[in-house]
PDB file of all heavy atoms in Angstrom:
ATOM      1  N   PRO A   1      18.772 -31.220 -43.189  1.00  0.00           N
ATOM      2  CA  PRO A   1      19.733 -31.330 -44.295  1.00  0.00           C
ATOM      3  C   PRO A   1      19.613 -30.215 -45.343  1.00  0.00           C
ATOM      4  O   PRO A   1      20.306 -30.249 -46.340  1.00  0.00           O
ATOM      5  CB  PRO A   1      19.381 -32.676 -44.919  1.00  0.00           C
ATOM      6  CG  PRO A   1      17.928 -32.805 -44.665  1.00  0.00           C
ATOM      7  CD  PRO A   1      17.645 -32.103 -43.377  1.00  0.00           C
ATOM      8  N   GLN A   2      18.731 -29.242 -45.133  1.00  0.00           N
ATOM      9  CA  GLN A   2      18.528 -28.241 -46.175  1.00  0.00           C
ATOM     10  C   GLN A   2      19.694 -27.253 -46.292  1.00  0.00           C
ATOM     11  O   GLN A   2      19.757 -26.498 -47.256  1.00  0.00           O
ATOM     12  CB  GLN A   2      17.220 -27.472 -45.936  1.00  0.00           C
ATOM     13  CG  GLN A   2      17.120 -26.726 -44.636  1.00  0.00           C
ATOM     14  CD  GLN A   2      16.419 -27.551 -43.602  1.00  0.00           C
ATOM     15  OE1 GLN A   2      16.497 -28.772 -43.659  1.00  0.00           O
ATOM     16  NE2 GLN A   2      15.755 -26.907 -42.663  1.00  0.00           N
ATOM     17  N   LYS A   3      20.610 -27.227 -45.305  1.00  0.00           N
ATOM     18  CA  LYS A   3      21.750 -26.283 -45.363  1.00  0.00           C
ATOM     19  C   LYS A   3      23.034 -27.044 -45.610  1.00  0.00           C
ATOM     20  O   LYS A   3      23.249 -28.111 -45.040  1.00  0.00           O
ATOM     21  CB  LYS A   3      21.831 -25.513 -44.037  1.00  0.00           C
ATOM     22  CG  LYS A   3      20.879 -24.350 -43.966  1.00  0.00           C
ATOM     23  CD  LYS A   3      21.401 -23.357 -42.966  1.00  0.00           C
ATOM     24  CE  LYS A   3      20.687 -22.036 -43.121  1.00  0.00           C
ATOM     25  NZ  LYS A   3      21.342 -20.999 -42.367  1.00  0.00           N
ATOM     26  N   LEU A   4      23.921 -26.447 -46.435  1.00  0.00           N
ATOM     27  CA  LEU A   4      25.242 -27.035 -46.706  1.00  0.00           C
ATOM     28  C   LEU A   4      26.367 -26.203 -46.125  1.00  0.00           C
ATOM     29  O   LEU A   4      27.527 -26.582 -46.245  1.00  0.00           O
ATOM     30  CB  LEU A   4      25.444 -27.202 -48.214  1.00  0.00           C
ATOM     31  CG  LEU A   4      24.490 -28.199 -48.887  1.00  0.00           C
ATOM     32  CD1 LEU A   4      24.649 -28.133 -50.403  1.00  0.00           C
ATOM     33  CD2 LEU A   4      24.727 -29.603 -48.395  1.00  0.00           C
ATOM     34  N   SER A   5      26.032 -25.074 -45.532  1.00  0.00           N
ATOM     35  CA  SER A   5      27.044 -24.212 -44.916  1.00  0.00           C
ATOM     36  C   SER A   5      26.449 -23.553 -43.684  1.00  0.00           C
ATOM     37  O   SER A   5      25.262 -23.226 -43.674  1.00  0.00           O
ATOM     38  CB  SER A   5      27.516 -23.151 -45.917  1.00  0.00           C
ATOM     39  OG  SER A   5      26.439 -22.342 -46.311  1.00  0.00           O
ATOM     40  N   PHE A   6      27.275 -23.375 -42.647  1.00  0.00           N
ATOM     41  CA  PHE A   6      26.854 -22.795 -41.368  1.00  0.00           C
ATOM     42  C   PHE A   6      27.809 -21.674 -40.996  1.00  0.00           C
ATOM     43  O   PHE A   6      29.035 -21.832 -41.071  1.00  0.00           O
ATOM     44  CB  PHE A   6      26.843 -23.855 -40.263  1.00  0.00           C
ATOM     45  CG  PHE A   6      25.779 -24.893 -40.453  1.00  0.00           C
ATOM     46  CD1 PHE A   6      26.000 -26.018 -41.240  1.00  0.00           C
ATOM     47  CD2 PHE A   6      24.538 -24.726 -39.870  1.00  0.00           C
ATOM     48  CE1 PHE A   6      25.017 -26.943 -41.417  1.00  0.00           C
ATOM     49  CE2 PHE A   6      23.557 -25.681 -40.045  1.00  0.00           C
ATOM     50  CZ  PHE A   6      23.787 -26.794 -40.819  1.00  0.00           C
ATOM     51  N   LYS A   7      27.241 -20.537 -40.595  1.00  0.00           N
ATOM     52  CA  LYS A   7      28.044 -19.370 -40.242  1.00  0.00           C
ATOM     53  C   LYS A   7      28.463 -19.454 -38.791  1.00  0.00           C
ATOM     54  O   LYS A   7      27.687 -19.831 -37.917  1.00  0.00           O
ATOM     55  CB  LYS A   7      27.231 -18.098 -40.468  1.00  0.00           C
ATOM     56  CG  LYS A   7      28.066 -16.838 -40.427  1.00  0.00           C
ATOM     57  CD  LYS A   7      27.221 -15.638 -40.812  1.00  0.00           C
ATOM     58  CE  LYS A   7      28.092 -14.387 -40.796  1.00  0.00           C
ATOM     59  NZ  LYS A   7      27.303 -13.180 -41.175  1.00  0.00           N
ATOM     60  N   ILE A   8      29.735 -19.064 -38.534  1.00  0.00           N
ATOM     61  CA  ILE A   8      30.299 -19.141 -37.187  1.00  0.00           C
ATOM     62  C   ILE A   8      29.943 -17.864 -36.432  1.00  0.00           C
ATOM     63  O   ILE A   8      30.023 -16.764 -36.968  1.00  0.00           O
ATOM     64  CB  ILE A   8      31.823 -19.330 -37.234  1.00  0.00           C
ATOM     65  CG1 ILE A   8      32.140 -20.697 -37.865  1.00  0.00           C
ATOM     66  CG2 ILE A   8      32.425 -19.237 -35.848  1.00  0.00           C
ATOM     67  CD1 ILE A   8      33.563 -20.856 -38.261  1.00  0.00           C
ATOM     68  N   ASN A   9      29.553 -18.043 -35.169  1.00  0.00           N
ATOM     69  CA  ASN A   9      29.257 -16.914 -34.284  1.00  0.00           C
ATOM     70  C   ASN A   9      30.465 -16.706 -33.376  1.00  0.00           C
ATOM     71  O   ASN A   9      30.673 -17.443 -32.413  1.00  0.00           O
ATOM     72  CB  ASN A   9      28.008 -17.216 -33.461  1.00  0.00           C
ATOM     73  CG  ASN A   9      27.567 -16.032 -32.636  1.00  0.00           C
ATOM     74  OD1 ASN A   9      28.094 -14.939 -32.787  1.00  0.00           O
ATOM     75  ND2 ASN A   9      26.595 -16.258 -31.758  1.00  0.00           N
ATOM     76  N   GLU A  10      31.296 -15.712 -33.702  1.00  0.00           N
ATOM     77  CA  GLU A  10      32.528 -15.487 -32.937  1.00  0.00           C
ATOM     78  C   GLU A  10      32.272 -15.059 -31.506  1.00  0.00           C
ATOM     79  O   GLU A  10      33.121 -15.235 -30.635  1.00  0.00           O
ATOM     80  CB  GLU A  10      33.367 -14.424 -33.658  1.00  0.00           C
ATOM     81  CG  GLU A  10      33.965 -14.924 -34.975  1.00  0.00           C
ATOM     82  CD  GLU A  10      34.834 -13.866 -35.632  1.00  0.00           C
ATOM     83  OE1 GLU A  10      34.796 -12.717 -35.148  1.00  0.00           O
ATOM     84  OE2 GLU A  10      35.541 -14.194 -36.588  1.00  0.00           O
ATOM     85  N   LYS A  11      31.072 -14.533 -31.236  1.00  0.00           N
ATOM     86  CA  LYS A  11      30.756 -14.113 -29.874  1.00  0.00           C
ATOM     87  C   LYS A  11      30.431 -15.306 -28.975  1.00  0.00           C
ATOM     88  O   LYS A  11      30.527 -15.198 -27.752  1.00  0.00           O
ATOM     89  CB  LYS A  11      29.573 -13.156 -29.889  1.00  0.00           C
ATOM     90  CG  LYS A  11      29.885 -11.838 -30.566  1.00  0.00           C
ATOM     91  CD  LYS A  11      28.671 -10.954 -30.566  1.00  0.00           C
ATOM     92  CE  LYS A  11      28.977  -9.627 -31.264  1.00  0.00           C
ATOM     93  NZ  LYS A  11      27.787  -8.747 -31.298  1.00  0.00           N
ATOM     94  N   ASP A  12      30.031 -16.419 -29.561  1.00  0.00           N
ATOM     95  CA  ASP A  12      29.634 -17.607 -28.791  1.00  0.00           C
ATOM     96  C   ASP A  12      30.837 -18.539 -28.652  1.00  0.00           C
ATOM     97  O   ASP A  12      30.976 -19.511 -29.378  1.00  0.00           O
ATOM     98  CB  ASP A  12      28.475 -18.306 -29.480  1.00  0.00           C
ATOM     99  CG  ASP A  12      27.845 -19.359 -28.582  1.00  0.00           C
ATOM    100  OD1 ASP A  12      28.292 -19.513 -27.438  1.00  0.00           O
ATOM    101  OD2 ASP A  12      26.889 -20.022 -29.041  1.00  0.00           O
ATOM    102  N   GLN A  13      31.737 -18.222 -27.727  1.00  0.00           N
ATOM    103  CA  GLN A  13      32.925 -19.031 -27.444  1.00  0.00           C
ATOM    104  C   GLN A  13      32.836 -19.535 -26.012  1.00  0.00           C
ATOM    105  O   GLN A  13      32.652 -18.753 -25.082  1.00  0.00           O
ATOM    106  CB  GLN A  13      34.197 -18.194 -27.637  1.00  0.00           C
ATOM    107  CG  GLN A  13      34.454 -17.824 -29.089  1.00  0.00           C
ATOM    108  CD  GLN A  13      35.753 -17.060 -29.256  1.00  0.00           C
ATOM    109  OE1 GLN A  13      36.433 -16.763 -28.276  1.00  0.00           O
ATOM    110  NE2 GLN A  13      36.122 -16.757 -30.497  1.00  0.00           N
ATOM    111  N   GLN A  14      32.976 -20.866 -25.867  1.00  0.00           N
ATOM    112  CA  GLN A  14      32.831 -21.482 -24.541  1.00  0.00           C
ATOM    113  C   GLN A  14      33.787 -22.652 -24.402  1.00  0.00           C
ATOM    114  O   GLN A  14      34.244 -23.219 -25.401  1.00  0.00           O
ATOM    115  CB  GLN A  14      31.400 -22.000 -24.341  1.00  0.00           C
ATOM    116  CG  GLN A  14      30.345 -20.922 -24.325  1.00  0.00           C
ATOM    117  CD  GLN A  14      28.970 -21.492 -24.134  1.00  0.00           C
ATOM    118  OE1 GLN A  14      28.831 -22.647 -23.782  1.00  0.00           O
ATOM    119  NE2 GLN A  14      27.955 -20.667 -24.376  1.00  0.00           N
ATOM    120  N   THR A  15      34.053 -23.001 -23.152  1.00  0.00           N
ATOM    121  CA  THR A  15      34.814 -24.224 -22.874  1.00  0.00           C
ATOM    122  C   THR A  15      33.891 -25.421 -23.039  1.00  0.00           C
ATOM    123  O   THR A  15      32.669 -25.266 -23.131  1.00  0.00           O
ATOM    124  CB  THR A  15      35.370 -24.190 -21.447  1.00  0.00           C
ATOM    125  OG1 THR A  15      34.283 -24.023 -20.557  1.00  0.00           O
ATOM    126  CG2 THR A  15      36.368 -23.058 -21.273  1.00  0.00           C
ATOM    127  N   PHE A  16      34.451 -26.634 -23.035  1.00  0.00           N
ATOM    128  CA  PHE A  16      33.650 -27.816 -23.324  1.00  0.00           C
ATOM    129  C   PHE A  16      34.164 -29.001 -22.517  1.00  0.00           C
ATOM    130  O   PHE A  16      35.232 -28.942 -21.901  1.00  0.00           O
ATOM    131  CB  PHE A  16      33.681 -28.134 -24.826  1.00  0.00           C
ATOM    132  CG  PHE A  16      35.070 -28.495 -25.326  1.00  0.00           C
ATOM    133  CD1 PHE A  16      35.490 -29.816 -25.376  1.00  0.00           C
ATOM    134  CD2 PHE A  16      35.962 -27.507 -25.727  1.00  0.00           C
ATOM    135  CE1 PHE A  16      36.751 -30.138 -25.821  1.00  0.00           C
ATOM    136  CE2 PHE A  16      37.207 -27.833 -26.170  1.00  0.00           C
ATOM    137  CZ  PHE A  16      37.631 -29.144 -26.228  1.00  0.00           C
ATOM    138  N   GLU A  17      33.402 -30.080 -22.555  1.00  0.00           N
ATOM    139  CA  GLU A  17      33.781 -31.339 -21.959  1.00  0.00           C
ATOM    140  C   GLU A  17      33.800 -32.405 -23.051  1.00  0.00           C
ATOM    141  O   GLU A  17      32.979 -32.384 -23.973  1.00  0.00           O
ATOM    142  CB  GLU A  17      32.777 -31.740 -20.870  1.00  0.00           C
ATOM    143  CG  GLU A  17      32.816 -30.804 -19.671  1.00  0.00           C
ATOM    144  CD  GLU A  17      31.826 -31.216 -18.610  1.00  0.00           C
ATOM    145  OE1 GLU A  17      31.170 -32.269 -18.821  1.00  0.00           O
ATOM    146  OE2 GLU A  17      31.707 -30.514 -17.592  1.00  0.00           O
ATOM    147  N   GLU A  18      34.712 -33.344 -22.899  1.00  0.00           N
ATOM    148  CA  GLU A  18      34.912 -34.362 -23.938  1.00  0.00           C
ATOM    149  C   GLU A  18      33.692 -35.291 -24.075  1.00  0.00           C
ATOM    150  O   GLU A  18      33.531 -35.941 -25.114  1.00  0.00           O
ATOM    151  CB  GLU A  18      36.157 -35.207 -23.594  1.00  0.00           C
ATOM    152  CG  GLU A  18      37.470 -34.450 -23.706  1.00  0.00           C
ATOM    153  CD  GLU A  18      37.831 -34.105 -25.155  1.00  0.00           C
ATOM    154  OE1 GLU A  18      37.320 -34.802 -26.055  1.00  0.00           O
ATOM    155  OE2 GLU A  18      38.574 -33.154 -25.369  1.00  0.00           O
ATOM    156  N   GLU A  19      32.863 -35.390 -23.058  1.00  0.00           N
ATOM    157  CA  GLU A  19      31.693 -36.295 -23.122  1.00  0.00           C
ATOM    158  C   GLU A  19      30.743 -35.908 -24.254  1.00  0.00           C
ATOM    159  O   GLU A  19      30.131 -36.767 -24.876  1.00  0.00           O
ATOM    160  CB  GLU A  19      30.920 -36.245 -21.807  1.00  0.00           C
ATOM    161  CG  GLU A  19      31.690 -36.795 -20.643  1.00  0.00           C
ATOM    162  CD  GLU A  19      30.903 -36.663 -19.345  1.00  0.00           C
ATOM    163  OE1 GLU A  19      29.831 -36.026 -19.393  1.00  0.00           O
ATOM    164  OE2 GLU A  19      31.344 -37.177 -18.319  1.00  0.00           O
ATOM    165  N   PHE A  20      30.577 -34.587 -24.492  1.00  0.00           N
ATOM    166  CA  PHE A  20      29.564 -34.101 -25.415  1.00  0.00           C
ATOM    167  C   PHE A  20      30.079 -33.964 -26.842  1.00  0.00           C
ATOM    168  O   PHE A  20      29.328 -33.556 -27.723  1.00  0.00           O
ATOM    169  CB  PHE A  20      29.027 -32.747 -24.921  1.00  0.00           C
ATOM    170  CG  PHE A  20      28.383 -32.818 -23.571  1.00  0.00           C
ATOM    171  CD1 PHE A  20      29.037 -32.339 -22.446  1.00  0.00           C
ATOM    172  CD2 PHE A  20      27.148 -33.406 -23.415  1.00  0.00           C
ATOM    173  CE1 PHE A  20      28.458 -32.420 -21.207  1.00  0.00           C
ATOM    174  CE2 PHE A  20      26.559 -33.480 -22.163  1.00  0.00           C
ATOM    175  CZ  PHE A  20      27.212 -32.991 -21.058  1.00  0.00           C
ATOM    176  N   ILE A  21      31.359 -34.289 -27.113  1.00  0.00           N
ATOM    177  CA  ILE A  21      31.884 -34.240 -28.480  1.00  0.00           C
ATOM    178  C   ILE A  21      31.519 -35.543 -29.170  1.00  0.00           C
ATOM    179  O   ILE A  21      31.842 -36.637 -28.706  1.00  0.00           O
ATOM    180  CB  ILE A  21      33.414 -34.019 -28.488  1.00  0.00           C
ATOM    181  CG1 ILE A  21      33.726 -32.608 -27.976  1.00  0.00           C
ATOM    182  CG2 ILE A  21      33.979 -34.211 -29.882  1.00  0.00           C
ATOM    183  CD1 ILE A  21      35.162 -32.377 -27.683  1.00  0.00           C
ATOM    184  N   ILE A  22      30.799 -35.438 -30.278  1.00  0.00           N
ATOM    185  CA  ILE A  22      30.328 -36.608 -31.023  1.00  0.00           C
ATOM    186  C   ILE A  22      31.360 -37.043 -32.054  1.00  0.00           C
ATOM    187  O   ILE A  22      31.695 -38.220 -32.168  1.00  0.00           O
ATOM    188  CB  ILE A  22      28.977 -36.283 -31.700  1.00  0.00           C
ATOM    189  CG1 ILE A  22      27.934 -35.948 -30.625  1.00  0.00           C
ATOM    190  CG2 ILE A  22      28.487 -37.433 -32.548  1.00  0.00           C
ATOM    191  CD1 ILE A  22      26.699 -35.290 -31.161  1.00  0.00           C
ATOM    192  N   LEU A  23      31.930 -36.074 -32.825  1.00  0.00           N
ATOM    193  CA  LEU A  23      32.852 -36.398 -33.928  1.00  0.00           C
ATOM    194  C   LEU A  23      33.723 -35.188 -34.196  1.00  0.00           C
ATOM    195  O   LEU A  23      33.239 -34.059 -34.206  1.00  0.00           O
ATOM    196  CB  LEU A  23      32.057 -36.760 -35.199  1.00  0.00           C
ATOM    197  CG  LEU A  23      32.869 -37.202 -36.405  1.00  0.00           C
ATOM    198  CD1 LEU A  23      33.600 -38.517 -36.151  1.00  0.00           C
ATOM    199  CD2 LEU A  23      31.957 -37.334 -37.616  1.00  0.00           C
ATOM    200  N   SER A  24      35.043 -35.427 -34.356  1.00  0.00           N
ATOM    201  CA  SER A  24      35.984 -34.344 -34.710  1.00  0.00           C
ATOM    202  C   SER A  24      36.476 -34.580 -36.144  1.00  0.00           C
ATOM    203  O   SER A  24      36.807 -35.696 -36.536  1.00  0.00           O
ATOM    204  CB  SER A  24      37.165 -34.338 -33.728  1.00  0.00           C
ATOM    205  OG  SER A  24      37.867 -35.568 -33.801  1.00  0.00           O
ATOM    206  N   MET A  25      36.499 -33.488 -36.951  1.00  0.00           N
ATOM    207  CA  MET A  25      36.857 -33.551 -38.383  1.00  0.00           C
ATOM    208  C   MET A  25      37.776 -32.392 -38.724  1.00  0.00           C
ATOM    209  O   MET A  25      37.948 -31.461 -37.918  1.00  0.00           O
ATOM    210  CB  MET A  25      35.572 -33.461 -39.228  1.00  0.00           C
ATOM    211  CG  MET A  25      34.545 -34.539 -38.958  1.00  0.00           C
ATOM    212  SD  MET A  25      32.966 -34.167 -39.694  1.00  0.00           S
ATOM    213  CE  MET A  25      32.376 -32.976 -38.525  1.00  0.00           C
ATOM    214  N   LYS A  26      38.327 -32.435 -39.925  1.00  0.00           N
ATOM    215  CA  LYS A  26      39.141 -31.345 -40.456  1.00  0.00           C
ATOM    216  C   LYS A  26      38.531 -30.899 -41.771  1.00  0.00           C
ATOM    217  O   LYS A  26      38.016 -31.705 -42.546  1.00  0.00           O
ATOM    218  CB  LYS A  26      40.583 -31.800 -40.672  1.00  0.00           C
ATOM    219  CG  LYS A  26      41.333 -31.997 -39.372  1.00  0.00           C
ATOM    220  CD  LYS A  26      42.794 -32.279 -39.589  1.00  0.00           C
ATOM    221  CE  LYS A  26      43.536 -32.432 -38.267  1.00  0.00           C
ATOM    222  NZ  LYS A  26      44.963 -32.693 -38.462  1.00  0.00           N
ATOM    223  N   GLY A  27      38.604 -29.566 -41.983  1.00  0.00           N
ATOM    224  CA  GLY A  27      38.013 -29.046 -43.196  1.00  0.00           C
ATOM    225  C   GLY A  27      38.318 -27.573 -43.390  1.00  0.00           C
ATOM    226  O   GLY A  27      39.042 -26.952 -42.600  1.00  0.00           O
ATOM    227  N   ASP A  28      37.802 -27.018 -44.496  1.00  0.00           N
ATOM    228  CA  ASP A  28      38.037 -25.629 -44.852  1.00  0.00           C
ATOM    229  C   ASP A  28      37.003 -24.731 -44.195  1.00  0.00           C
ATOM    230  O   ASP A  28      35.822 -25.060 -44.153  1.00  0.00           O
ATOM    231  CB  ASP A  28      37.948 -25.448 -46.365  1.00  0.00           C
ATOM    232  CG  ASP A  28      39.066 -26.211 -47.074  1.00  0.00           C
ATOM    233  OD1 ASP A  28      40.080 -26.462 -46.407  1.00  0.00           O
ATOM    234  OD2 ASP A  28      38.890 -26.562 -48.248  1.00  0.00           O
ATOM    235  N   VAL A  29      37.475 -23.601 -43.710  1.00  0.00           N
ATOM    236  CA  VAL A  29      36.609 -22.573 -43.146  1.00  0.00           C
ATOM    237  C   VAL A  29      36.906 -21.279 -43.876  1.00  0.00           C
ATOM    238  O   VAL A  29      37.989 -20.700 -43.715  1.00  0.00           O
ATOM    239  CB  VAL A  29      36.827 -22.404 -41.628  1.00  0.00           C
ATOM    240  CG1 VAL A  29      35.918 -21.305 -41.085  1.00  0.00           C
ATOM    241  CG2 VAL A  29      36.562 -23.713 -40.893  1.00  0.00           C
ATOM    242  N   GLU A  30      36.021 -20.826 -44.726  1.00  0.00           N
ATOM    243  CA  GLU A  30      36.223 -19.635 -45.549  1.00  0.00           C
ATOM    244  C   GLU A  30      35.188 -18.591 -45.177  1.00  0.00           C
ATOM    245  O   GLU A  30      33.995 -18.866 -45.170  1.00  0.00           O
ATOM    246  CB  GLU A  30      36.076 -20.007 -47.036  1.00  0.00           C
ATOM    247  CG  GLU A  30      37.162 -20.946 -47.534  1.00  0.00           C
ATOM    248  CD  GLU A  30      36.946 -21.297 -48.984  1.00  0.00           C
ATOM    249  OE1 GLU A  30      35.936 -20.840 -49.543  1.00  0.00           O
ATOM    250  OE2 GLU A  30      37.779 -22.040 -49.527  1.00  0.00           O
ATOM    251  N   GLU A  31      35.701 -17.414 -44.883  1.00  0.00           N
ATOM    252  CA  GLU A  31      34.852 -16.259 -44.557  1.00  0.00           C
ATOM    253  C   GLU A  31      33.869 -16.603 -43.438  1.00  0.00           C
ATOM    254  O   GLU A  31      32.656 -16.371 -43.537  1.00  0.00           O
ATOM    255  CB  GLU A  31      34.091 -15.792 -45.800  1.00  0.00           C
ATOM    256  CG  GLU A  31      35.002 -15.262 -46.878  1.00  0.00           C
ATOM    257  CD  GLU A  31      34.225 -14.827 -48.116  1.00  0.00           C
ATOM    258  OE1 GLU A  31      32.974 -15.036 -48.115  1.00  0.00           O
ATOM    259  OE2 GLU A  31      34.836 -14.292 -49.031  1.00  0.00           O
ATOM    260  N   LYS A  32      34.423 -17.245 -42.390  1.00  0.00           N
ATOM    261  CA  LYS A  32      33.632 -17.598 -41.191  1.00  0.00           C
ATOM    262  C   LYS A  32      32.462 -18.517 -41.529  1.00  0.00           C
ATOM    263  O   LYS A  32      31.390 -18.456 -40.914  1.00  0.00           O
ATOM    264  CB  LYS A  32      33.129 -16.348 -40.488  1.00  0.00           C
ATOM    265  CG  LYS A  32      34.205 -15.424 -40.007  1.00  0.00           C
ATOM    266  CD  LYS A  32      33.619 -14.193 -39.373  1.00  0.00           C
ATOM    267  CE  LYS A  32      34.716 -13.202 -38.988  1.00  0.00           C
ATOM    268  NZ  LYS A  32      34.155 -11.987 -38.397  1.00  0.00           N
ATOM    269  N   MET A  33      32.615 -19.384 -42.513  1.00  0.00           N
ATOM    270  CA  MET A  33      31.580 -20.332 -42.929  1.00  0.00           C
ATOM    271  C   MET A  33      32.156 -21.743 -42.931  1.00  0.00           C
ATOM    272  O   MET A  33      33.237 -21.963 -43.502  1.00  0.00           O
ATOM    273  CB  MET A  33      31.042 -19.998 -44.320  1.00  0.00           C
ATOM    274  CG  MET A  33      30.338 -18.657 -44.418  1.00  0.00           C
ATOM    275  SD  MET A  33      28.753 -18.611 -43.576  1.00  0.00           S
ATOM    276  CE  MET A  33      27.801 -19.576 -44.720  1.00  0.00           C
ATOM    277  N   ILE A  34      31.483 -22.687 -42.338  1.00  0.00           N
ATOM    278  CA  ILE A  34      31.854 -24.103 -42.352  1.00  0.00           C
ATOM    279  C   ILE A  34      31.037 -24.766 -43.448  1.00  0.00           C
ATOM    280  O   ILE A  34      29.798 -24.780 -43.396  1.00  0.00           O
ATOM    281  CB  ILE A  34      31.584 -24.776 -41.002  1.00  0.00           C
ATOM    282  CG1 ILE A  34      32.459 -24.168 -39.916  1.00  0.00           C
ATOM    283  CG2 ILE A  34      31.818 -26.270 -41.070  1.00  0.00           C
ATOM    284  CD1 ILE A  34      32.113 -24.604 -38.508  1.00  0.00           C
ATOM    285  N   LYS A  35      31.749 -25.317 -44.476  1.00  0.00           N
ATOM    286  CA  LYS A  35      31.061 -25.976 -45.569  1.00  0.00           C
ATOM    287  C   LYS A  35      31.127 -27.484 -45.360  1.00  0.00           C
ATOM    288  O   LYS A  35      32.199 -28.055 -45.142  1.00  0.00           O
ATOM    289  CB  LYS A  35      31.710 -25.588 -46.896  1.00  0.00           C
ATOM    290  CG  LYS A  35      31.473 -24.125 -47.241  1.00  0.00           C
ATOM    291  CD  LYS A  35      32.036 -23.770 -48.586  1.00  0.00           C
ATOM    292  CE  LYS A  35      31.761 -22.303 -48.935  1.00  0.00           C
ATOM    293  NZ  LYS A  35      32.298 -21.936 -50.244  1.00  0.00           N
ATOM    294  N   ILE A  36      29.954 -28.144 -45.428  1.00  0.00           N
ATOM    295  CA  ILE A  36      29.856 -29.573 -45.140  1.00  0.00           C
ATOM    296  C   ILE A  36      30.550 -30.390 -46.212  1.00  0.00           C
ATOM    297  O   ILE A  36      31.128 -31.449 -45.934  1.00  0.00           O
ATOM    298  CB  ILE A  36      28.372 -29.964 -44.998  1.00  0.00           C
ATOM    299  CG1 ILE A  36      27.746 -29.192 -43.835  1.00  0.00           C
ATOM    300  CG2 ILE A  36      28.199 -31.443 -44.741  1.00  0.00           C
ATOM    301  CD1 ILE A  36      26.245 -29.254 -43.794  1.00  0.00           C
ATOM    302  N   ASP A  37      30.519 -29.913 -47.444  1.00  0.00           N
ATOM    303  CA  ASP A  37      31.126 -30.672 -48.540  1.00  0.00           C
ATOM    304  C   ASP A  37      32.644 -30.795 -48.393  1.00  0.00           C
ATOM    305  O   ASP A  37      33.239 -31.757 -48.886  1.00  0.00           O
ATOM    306  CB  ASP A  37      30.804 -30.007 -49.891  1.00  0.00           C
ATOM    307  CG  ASP A  37      29.304 -30.016 -50.159  1.00  0.00           C
ATOM    308  OD1 ASP A  37      28.626 -30.900 -49.563  1.00  0.00           O
ATOM    309  OD2 ASP A  37      28.798 -29.156 -50.898  1.00  0.00           O
ATOM    310  N   LYS A  38      33.287 -29.830 -47.758  1.00  0.00           N
ATOM    311  CA  LYS A  38      34.748 -29.786 -47.670  1.00  0.00           C
ATOM    312  C   LYS A  38      35.273 -30.332 -46.344  1.00  0.00           C
ATOM    313  O   LYS A  38      36.404 -30.072 -45.987  1.00  0.00           O
ATOM    314  CB  LYS A  38      35.221 -28.353 -47.875  1.00  0.00           C
ATOM    315  CG  LYS A  38      34.936 -27.857 -49.289  1.00  0.00           C
ATOM    316  CD  LYS A  38      35.475 -26.457 -49.488  1.00  0.00           C
ATOM    317  CE  LYS A  38      35.201 -25.974 -50.915  1.00  0.00           C
ATOM    318  NZ  LYS A  38      35.728 -24.612 -51.154  1.00  0.00           N
ATOM    319  N   LEU A  39      34.443 -31.061 -45.587  1.00  0.00           N
ATOM    320  CA  LEU A  39      34.899 -31.687 -44.341  1.00  0.00           C
ATOM    321  C   LEU A  39      35.474 -33.064 -44.630  1.00  0.00           C
ATOM    322  O   LEU A  39      35.146 -33.689 -45.647  1.00  0.00           O
ATOM    323  CB  LEU A  39      33.735 -31.806 -43.368  1.00  0.00           C
ATOM    324  CG  LEU A  39      33.145 -30.492 -42.829  1.00  0.00           C
ATOM    325  CD1 LEU A  39      31.892 -30.765 -42.010  1.00  0.00           C
ATOM    326  CD2 LEU A  39      34.168 -29.736 -41.979  1.00  0.00           C
ATOM    327  N   SER A  40      36.298 -33.533 -43.711  1.00  0.00           N
ATOM    328  CA  SER A  40      36.967 -34.822 -43.917  1.00  0.00           C
ATOM    329  C   SER A  40      36.000 -35.997 -43.803  1.00  0.00           C
ATOM    330  O   SER A  40      36.206 -37.043 -44.406  1.00  0.00           O
ATOM    331  CB  SER A  40      38.101 -34.991 -42.904  1.00  0.00           C
ATOM    332  OG  SER A  40      37.564 -34.960 -41.590  1.00  0.00           O
TER     333      SER A  40
END
């Protein structure tokens, strides 16, 4: 829990399977950063 924002790695793009998705949310992504406070 020590981080409130995570940087996106644009080089790490992969396909996925629905089994491994835990939770889908909507939120703001600014300057390639996902901020936990601004998620739904």
Side-chain angles (χ1 to χ4, degrees):
Q2 60 265 29
K3 278 204 166 191
L4 295 172
S5 61
F6 292 86
K7 193 174 181 180
I8 295 166
N9 186 9
E10 290 183 350
K11 293 179 181 179
D12 192 1
Q13 292 183 357
Q14 296 180 13
T15 57
F16 64 93
E17 293 180 3
E18 291 291 337
E19 294 177 354
F20 299 104
I21 292 169
I22 298 165
L23 184 65
S24 61
M25 301 167 282
K26 289 187 178 181
D28 295 337
V29 179
E30 294 178 358
E31 295 179 356
K32 299 178 185 179
M33 297 289 286
I34 296 171
K35 292 184 178 180
I36 299 167
D37 297 336
K38 294 183 179 181
L39 294 173
S40 61

